[in-house]
Short mmCIF file of all heavy atoms in Angstrom, two decimals:
data_model
loop_
_atom_site.label_atom_id
_atom_site.label_comp_id
_atom_site.label_asym_id
_atom_site.label_seq_id
_atom_site.Cartn_x
_atom_site.Cartn_y
_atom_site.Cartn_z
N PHE A 1 -7.57 -1.30 12.94
CA PHE A 1 -7.90 -1.92 11.78
C PHE A 1 -8.13 -0.82 10.63
O PHE A 1 -8.74 -1.04 9.70
CB PHE A 1 -9.11 -2.81 11.75
CG PHE A 1 -9.33 -3.86 10.71
CD1 PHE A 1 -8.42 -4.85 10.74
CD2 PHE A 1 -10.35 -3.67 9.98
CE1 PHE A 1 -8.60 -5.82 9.69
CE2 PHE A 1 -10.52 -4.73 8.97
CZ PHE A 1 -9.68 -5.74 8.84
N GLY A 2 -7.35 0.29 10.70
CA GLY A 2 -7.33 1.16 9.70
C GLY A 2 -8.67 2.04 9.51
O GLY A 2 -9.11 2.58 8.48
N ARG A 3 -9.48 1.77 10.59
CA ARG A 3 -10.83 2.41 10.58
C ARG A 3 -11.01 3.77 11.36
O ARG A 3 -12.07 4.17 11.69
CB ARG A 3 -11.99 1.49 10.97
CG ARG A 3 -12.12 0.32 9.84
CD ARG A 3 -13.06 -0.66 10.13
NE ARG A 3 -13.34 -1.43 9.01
CZ ARG A 3 -13.82 -2.79 9.06
NH1 ARG A 3 -14.04 -3.23 10.08
NH2 ARG A 3 -14.00 -3.42 7.88
N LYS A 4 -9.81 4.39 11.63
CA LYS A 4 -9.83 5.57 12.46
C LYS A 4 -8.93 6.55 11.67
O LYS A 4 -7.88 6.18 11.29
CB LYS A 4 -9.34 5.49 13.79
CG LYS A 4 -9.08 6.63 14.60
CD LYS A 4 -8.49 6.31 16.00
CE LYS A 4 -8.18 7.64 16.83
NZ LYS A 4 -7.66 7.18 18.12
N VAL A 5 -9.34 7.72 11.37
CA VAL A 5 -8.57 8.84 10.82
C VAL A 5 -7.27 9.02 11.55
O VAL A 5 -7.43 9.48 12.87
CB VAL A 5 -9.39 10.14 10.40
CG1 VAL A 5 -8.46 11.15 9.75
CG2 VAL A 5 -10.34 9.74 9.40
N LEU A 6 -6.10 8.97 11.05
CA LEU A 6 -4.93 9.24 11.76
C LEU A 6 -4.51 10.73 11.50
O LEU A 6 -4.60 11.23 10.42
CB LEU A 6 -3.91 8.33 11.44
CG LEU A 6 -3.87 6.81 11.79
CD1 LEU A 6 -2.49 6.20 11.41
CD2 LEU A 6 -4.17 6.70 13.16
N ASP A 7 -3.97 11.27 12.63
CA ASP A 7 -3.16 12.61 12.46
C ASP A 7 -1.85 12.18 12.13
O ASP A 7 -0.93 12.09 13.12
CB ASP A 7 -3.37 13.32 13.78
CG ASP A 7 -2.76 14.75 13.69
OD1 ASP A 7 -2.47 15.16 12.63
OD2 ASP A 7 -2.57 15.48 14.79
N ILE A 8 -1.56 12.21 10.89
CA ILE A 8 -0.26 11.73 10.37
C ILE A 8 0.23 12.71 9.28
O ILE A 8 -0.43 13.21 8.59
CB ILE A 8 -0.36 10.28 9.72
CG1 ILE A 8 1.04 9.80 9.31
CG2 ILE A 8 -1.25 10.31 8.69
CD1 ILE A 8 0.97 8.35 8.93
N SER A 9 1.61 13.03 9.38
CA SER A 9 2.07 14.01 8.35
C SER A 9 2.16 13.41 7.00
O SER A 9 2.08 12.21 6.77
CB SER A 9 3.58 14.35 8.81
OG SER A 9 4.34 13.19 8.49
N LYS A 10 2.13 14.34 6.04
CA LYS A 10 2.31 14.02 4.55
C LYS A 10 3.43 12.99 4.46
O LYS A 10 3.28 11.95 3.77
CB LYS A 10 2.33 15.18 3.75
CG LYS A 10 2.55 14.94 2.25
CD LYS A 10 2.82 16.14 1.43
CE LYS A 10 3.06 15.87 -0.03
NZ LYS A 10 3.32 17.11 -0.73
N GLU A 11 4.59 13.32 4.94
CA GLU A 11 5.74 12.55 4.84
C GLU A 11 5.56 11.15 5.31
O GLU A 11 6.01 10.19 4.71
CB GLU A 11 6.93 13.29 5.38
CG GLU A 11 7.24 14.61 4.70
CD GLU A 11 6.32 15.72 4.99
OE1 GLU A 11 5.78 15.67 6.02
OE2 GLU A 11 6.39 16.68 4.22
N ASP A 12 5.05 10.99 6.55
CA ASP A 12 4.91 9.67 7.25
C ASP A 12 3.87 8.78 6.43
O ASP A 12 3.99 7.57 6.35
CB ASP A 12 4.51 9.85 8.65
CG ASP A 12 5.61 10.32 9.53
OD1 ASP A 12 6.76 10.29 9.05
OD2 ASP A 12 5.37 10.83 10.69
N LEU A 13 2.80 9.47 5.93
CA LEU A 13 1.69 8.74 5.22
C LEU A 13 2.29 8.26 3.90
O LEU A 13 2.15 7.20 3.47
CB LEU A 13 0.49 9.61 4.93
CG LEU A 13 -0.59 8.89 4.22
CD1 LEU A 13 -1.08 7.74 4.81
CD2 LEU A 13 -1.74 9.95 3.91
N LYS A 14 3.08 9.21 3.22
CA LYS A 14 3.61 8.83 1.90
C LYS A 14 4.63 7.60 2.13
O LYS A 14 4.72 6.64 1.43
CB LYS A 14 4.37 10.02 1.35
CG LYS A 14 5.12 9.66 0.01
CD LYS A 14 5.73 10.91 -0.68
CE LYS A 14 6.26 10.59 -1.94
NZ LYS A 14 6.92 11.90 -2.55
N GLU A 15 5.55 7.67 3.20
CA GLU A 15 6.40 6.60 3.56
C GLU A 15 5.76 5.26 3.77
O GLU A 15 6.18 4.15 3.22
CB GLU A 15 7.34 7.01 4.65
CG GLU A 15 8.39 5.93 4.98
CD GLU A 15 9.22 6.38 6.12
OE1 GLU A 15 9.16 7.51 6.79
OE2 GLU A 15 10.08 5.48 6.61
N SER A 16 4.72 5.37 4.52
CA SER A 16 4.06 4.01 4.84
C SER A 16 3.26 3.45 3.62
O SER A 16 3.47 2.37 3.31
CB SER A 16 2.89 4.33 5.98
OG SER A 16 2.20 3.24 6.02
N LEU A 17 2.68 4.44 2.74
CA LEU A 17 2.01 3.79 1.63
C LEU A 17 2.96 3.16 0.65
O LEU A 17 2.76 2.06 0.09
CB LEU A 17 1.11 4.95 0.93
CG LEU A 17 -0.10 5.39 1.65
CD1 LEU A 17 -0.62 6.81 1.07
CD2 LEU A 17 -1.10 4.36 1.80
N GLN A 18 4.05 3.97 0.50
CA GLN A 18 5.04 3.44 -0.53
C GLN A 18 5.68 2.17 0.02
O GLN A 18 6.12 1.32 -0.83
CB GLN A 18 5.95 4.58 -0.93
CG GLN A 18 5.55 5.63 -1.67
CD GLN A 18 6.36 6.60 -2.26
OE1 GLN A 18 7.59 6.73 -1.69
NE2 GLN A 18 6.02 7.40 -3.13
N HIS A 19 5.97 2.01 1.30
CA HIS A 19 6.36 0.78 1.83
C HIS A 19 5.57 -0.36 1.74
O HIS A 19 5.87 -1.44 1.25
CB HIS A 19 6.69 1.05 3.33
CG HIS A 19 7.25 -0.23 4.04
ND1 HIS A 19 8.55 -0.67 3.92
CD2 HIS A 19 6.64 -1.10 4.95
CE1 HIS A 19 8.72 -1.79 4.54
NE2 HIS A 19 7.46 -2.08 5.19
N GLN A 20 4.09 -0.07 1.97
CA GLN A 20 3.20 -1.15 1.62
C GLN A 20 3.19 -1.62 0.27
O GLN A 20 3.07 -2.91 -0.02
CB GLN A 20 1.83 -0.70 2.13
CG GLN A 20 1.63 -0.31 3.64
CD GLN A 20 0.29 0.23 3.91
OE1 GLN A 20 -0.77 -0.27 3.46
NE2 GLN A 20 0.22 1.40 4.56
N LEU A 21 3.17 -0.64 -0.63
CA LEU A 21 3.09 -1.03 -2.07
C LEU A 21 4.27 -1.58 -2.69
O LEU A 21 4.25 -2.46 -3.51
CB LEU A 21 2.64 0.27 -2.88
CG LEU A 21 1.16 0.69 -2.60
CD1 LEU A 21 0.95 2.06 -3.35
CD2 LEU A 21 0.12 -0.31 -2.78
N ALA A 22 5.50 -1.21 -2.17
CA ALA A 22 6.74 -1.77 -2.59
C ALA A 22 6.84 -3.22 -2.20
O ALA A 22 7.29 -4.07 -3.05
CB ALA A 22 7.86 -1.01 -2.04
N ALA A 23 6.40 -3.46 -1.00
CA ALA A 23 6.41 -4.83 -0.54
C ALA A 23 5.41 -5.69 -1.28
O ALA A 23 5.63 -6.90 -1.88
CB ALA A 23 5.98 -4.88 0.93
N PHE A 24 4.18 -5.13 -1.65
CA PHE A 24 3.25 -5.89 -2.45
C PHE A 24 3.87 -6.15 -3.95
O PHE A 24 3.64 -7.13 -4.40
CB PHE A 24 2.02 -5.07 -2.54
CG PHE A 24 0.78 -5.66 -3.16
CD1 PHE A 24 -0.05 -6.62 -2.36
CD2 PHE A 24 0.51 -5.43 -4.47
CE1 PHE A 24 -1.06 -7.26 -3.21
CE2 PHE A 24 -0.58 -6.07 -5.15
CZ PHE A 24 -1.32 -7.00 -4.37
N ALA A 25 4.33 -5.01 -4.45
CA ALA A 25 4.92 -5.15 -5.87
C ALA A 25 6.04 -6.26 -5.99
O ALA A 25 6.07 -6.98 -6.94
CB ALA A 25 5.59 -3.84 -6.30
N ALA A 26 6.79 -6.28 -4.94
CA ALA A 26 7.88 -7.42 -5.04
C ALA A 26 7.36 -8.75 -4.98
O ALA A 26 7.87 -9.57 -5.74
CB ALA A 26 8.82 -7.07 -3.82
N ILE A 27 6.28 -8.92 -4.07
CA ILE A 27 5.81 -10.32 -4.06
C ILE A 27 4.92 -10.63 -5.37
O ILE A 27 5.05 -11.74 -5.82
CB ILE A 27 4.83 -10.36 -2.85
CG1 ILE A 27 5.80 -10.25 -1.55
CG2 ILE A 27 4.11 -11.66 -2.67
CD1 ILE A 27 5.00 -10.04 -0.29
N VAL A 28 4.28 -9.60 -5.85
CA VAL A 28 3.58 -9.96 -7.16
C VAL A 28 4.59 -10.42 -8.29
O VAL A 28 4.32 -11.36 -8.95
CB VAL A 28 2.64 -8.61 -7.57
CG1 VAL A 28 2.25 -8.75 -9.05
CG2 VAL A 28 1.59 -8.39 -6.66
N LYS A 29 5.67 -9.63 -8.29
CA LYS A 29 6.63 -9.97 -9.34
C LYS A 29 7.21 -11.32 -9.04
O LYS A 29 7.37 -12.18 -10.01
CB LYS A 29 7.80 -8.87 -9.29
CG LYS A 29 8.83 -9.18 -10.31
CD LYS A 29 9.90 -8.08 -10.31
CE LYS A 29 10.90 -8.26 -11.47
NZ LYS A 29 11.99 -7.20 -11.38
N GLU A 30 7.56 -11.58 -7.79
CA GLU A 30 8.20 -13.03 -7.43
C GLU A 30 7.20 -14.14 -7.73
O GLU A 30 7.60 -15.16 -8.21
CB GLU A 30 8.54 -12.99 -6.04
CG GLU A 30 9.72 -12.11 -5.63
CD GLU A 30 9.88 -11.93 -4.13
OE1 GLU A 30 9.23 -12.70 -3.28
OE2 GLU A 30 10.66 -11.06 -3.71
N GLU A 31 6.09 -13.92 -7.58
CA GLU A 31 4.92 -14.91 -7.67
C GLU A 31 4.29 -14.96 -9.13
O GLU A 31 3.37 -15.65 -9.44
CB GLU A 31 3.70 -14.71 -6.73
CG GLU A 31 4.17 -14.83 -5.20
CD GLU A 31 4.64 -16.30 -4.90
OE1 GLU A 31 4.19 -17.25 -5.62
OE2 GLU A 31 5.51 -16.48 -4.04
N GLN A 32 4.77 -14.03 -10.05
CA GLN A 32 4.49 -13.91 -11.50
C GLN A 32 2.93 -13.67 -11.47
O GLN A 32 2.24 -14.21 -12.25
CB GLN A 32 4.86 -15.17 -12.13
CG GLN A 32 6.33 -15.36 -12.26
CD GLN A 32 6.74 -16.58 -13.12
OE1 GLN A 32 6.05 -17.66 -12.89
NE2 GLN A 32 7.86 -16.51 -13.78
N GLY A 33 2.39 -12.66 -10.66
CA GLY A 33 0.96 -12.37 -10.63
C GLY A 33 0.87 -11.10 -11.46
O GLY A 33 1.72 -10.44 -12.00
N TYR A 34 -0.36 -10.82 -11.81
CA TYR A 34 -0.77 -9.56 -12.59
C TYR A 34 -1.49 -8.62 -11.57
O TYR A 34 -2.61 -9.01 -11.13
CB TYR A 34 -1.55 -9.96 -13.87
CG TYR A 34 -2.09 -8.68 -14.43
CD1 TYR A 34 -1.18 -7.90 -15.37
CD2 TYR A 34 -3.34 -8.23 -14.37
CE1 TYR A 34 -1.67 -6.89 -15.94
CE2 TYR A 34 -3.75 -7.19 -15.02
CZ TYR A 34 -3.02 -6.50 -15.96
OH TYR A 34 -3.30 -5.22 -16.51
N TRP A 35 -0.91 -7.46 -11.44
CA TRP A 35 -1.39 -6.51 -10.60
C TRP A 35 -2.40 -5.69 -11.31
O TRP A 35 -2.16 -4.96 -12.20
CB TRP A 35 -0.27 -5.51 -10.07
CG TRP A 35 -0.63 -4.67 -8.94
CD1 TRP A 35 -1.98 -4.21 -8.42
CD2 TRP A 35 0.26 -3.90 -8.22
NE1 TRP A 35 -1.79 -3.36 -7.52
CE2 TRP A 35 -0.55 -3.08 -7.35
CE3 TRP A 35 1.67 -3.71 -8.19
CZ2 TRP A 35 0.11 -2.23 -6.28
CZ3 TRP A 35 2.22 -2.88 -7.30
CH2 TRP A 35 1.45 -2.15 -6.32
N HIS A 36 -3.72 -5.77 -10.98
CA HIS A 36 -4.87 -5.24 -11.71
C HIS A 36 -5.26 -3.78 -11.09
O HIS A 36 -5.67 -2.84 -11.77
CB HIS A 36 -6.12 -6.08 -11.63
CG HIS A 36 -7.38 -5.52 -12.37
ND1 HIS A 36 -8.29 -5.00 -11.47
CD2 HIS A 36 -7.74 -5.55 -13.55
CE1 HIS A 36 -9.26 -4.55 -12.30
NE2 HIS A 36 -8.92 -4.93 -13.48
N HIS A 37 -5.21 -3.66 -9.74
CA HIS A 37 -5.80 -2.43 -9.25
C HIS A 37 -5.24 -2.06 -7.80
O HIS A 37 -4.66 -2.91 -7.12
CB HIS A 37 -7.35 -2.43 -9.10
CG HIS A 37 -7.82 -3.52 -8.05
ND1 HIS A 37 -7.95 -4.80 -8.54
CD2 HIS A 37 -8.25 -3.43 -6.88
CE1 HIS A 37 -8.46 -5.51 -7.54
NE2 HIS A 37 -8.60 -4.78 -6.44
N ILE A 38 -5.54 -0.87 -7.41
CA ILE A 38 -5.24 -0.37 -5.92
C ILE A 38 -6.47 0.13 -5.35
O ILE A 38 -7.29 0.85 -6.07
CB ILE A 38 -4.21 0.66 -5.86
CG1 ILE A 38 -2.83 0.22 -6.37
CG2 ILE A 38 -4.10 1.20 -4.46
CD1 ILE A 38 -1.83 1.33 -6.59
N LYS A 39 -6.94 -0.40 -4.30
CA LYS A 39 -8.07 0.10 -3.52
C LYS A 39 -7.64 0.59 -2.06
O LYS A 39 -7.21 -0.35 -1.32
CB LYS A 39 -9.09 -0.98 -3.36
CG LYS A 39 -10.28 -0.50 -2.49
CD LYS A 39 -11.37 -1.61 -2.39
CE LYS A 39 -12.32 -1.29 -1.25
NZ LYS A 39 -13.34 -2.27 -1.05
N PRO A 40 -7.81 1.89 -1.85
CA PRO A 40 -7.40 2.31 -0.44
C PRO A 40 -8.36 1.78 0.55
O PRO A 40 -9.54 1.35 0.15
CB PRO A 40 -7.52 3.86 -0.54
CG PRO A 40 -8.28 3.99 -1.74
CD PRO A 40 -8.13 2.90 -2.72
N HIS A 41 -7.99 1.61 1.82
CA HIS A 41 -8.67 0.96 2.74
C HIS A 41 -9.36 1.95 3.79
O HIS A 41 -8.78 2.89 4.20
CB HIS A 41 -7.81 -0.03 3.47
CG HIS A 41 -8.52 -0.56 4.81
ND1 HIS A 41 -9.39 -1.49 4.73
CD2 HIS A 41 -8.35 -0.28 6.06
CE1 HIS A 41 -9.86 -1.88 5.96
NE2 HIS A 41 -9.10 -1.08 6.91
#
């Protein structure tokens, strides 16, 4: 549940974060929402 620090490379972390946010951004646009903030977990 994201509550353990991962031993993950910079590249893998960047790829994962950008994949998560790209998916979120696409859905916000499709649903005509307003994206107010980002909060890391």
Side-chain angles (χ1 to χ4, degrees):
F1 199 65
R3 287 179 173 157
K4 177 182 178 181
V5 174
L6 290 190
D7 183 11
I8 184 173
S9 70
K10 173 183 176 180
E11 292 75 20
D12 287 346
L13 178 61
K14 181 177 181 179
E15 180 181 356
S16 175
L17 291 171
Q18 292 189 336
H19 177 76
Q20 293 174 55
L21 294 177
F24 187 84
I27 294 169
V28 170
K29 184 176 181 180
E30 289 168 11
E31 297 294 331
Q32 298 182 321
Y34 175 74
W35 188 348
H36 176 263
H37 64 275
I38 296 172
K39 173 185 169 177
H41 169 78

